[in-house]
Amino acid sequence: DVFALHVEGDSMRDAMLTDGDIVILQKTSIGQVKNGDIVAAWIIDTQETTLKRFEKTKRGISLRPENPDYDIIYLQPDEVDIQGKLLAVLRFRY
C-alpha cells in the first residue's frame, strides 16, 4: 500500500524535500523501518504528522530534521505511530 502527503515547511530541506513537494510513502510500522529511513510519523500527543529521519536508540525514538534550524524530536515508542517510509518525491514547479 502506498499513499501521498503534501510537504509543508522546510524542516527536511537538506534532504531535498521542500515546501510544496508531494512525497510518496509505503505504509509501514515502527518494526519495519531502519535507522536513517525518512518516515511520516504521527505524533500522538500533538495529533500531527511530521516527515523526519528515523532513529531508534536505547532511550527511545528520535525524529531528526534535515535542517539545523529545527530541533530533534525525542519520543517513546508508544508516543508515535510510524505511518510510512519515503519511496519517492514529486516536485512540480510552474
Side-chain angles (χ1 to χ4, degrees):
D1 291 333
V2 298
F3 65 101
L5 290 176
H6 180 256
V7 176
E8 294 179 6
D10 65 349
S11 69
M12 294 298 287
R13 72 165 189 219
D14 294 345
M16 306 307 284
L17 301 172
T18 60
D19 191 59
D21 288 348
I22 304 294
V23 290
I24 309 299
L25 300 114
Q26 173 75 47
K27 286 186 181 179
T28 191
S29 66
I30 199 165
Q32 298 172 309
V33 294
K34 300 178 295 214
N35 286 353
D37 287 343
I38 294 176
V39 299
W42 175 256
I43 300 175
I44 295 167
D45 185 47
T46 60
Q47 297 286 291
E48 59 188 7
T49 297
T50 188
L51 192 66
K52 299 286 184 282
R53 196 166 296 276
F54 175 88
E55 185 177 350
K56 187 173 184 179
T57 67
K58 292 179 183 179
R59 293 180 31 199
I61 303 298
S62 67
L63 300 173
R64 297 182 178 273
E66 292 285 338
N67 179 338
D69 295 337
Y70 292 82
D71 294 328
I72 298 170
I73 301 168
Y74 296 100
L75 300 165
Q76 293 303 305
D78 63 346
E79 298 175 313
V80 63
D81 180 30
I82 302 302
Q83 298 176 319
K85 176 178 152 178
L86 181 70
L87 292 177
V89 180
L90 302 174
R91 181 169 297 141
F92 302 98
R93 298 296 183 241
Y94 303 98

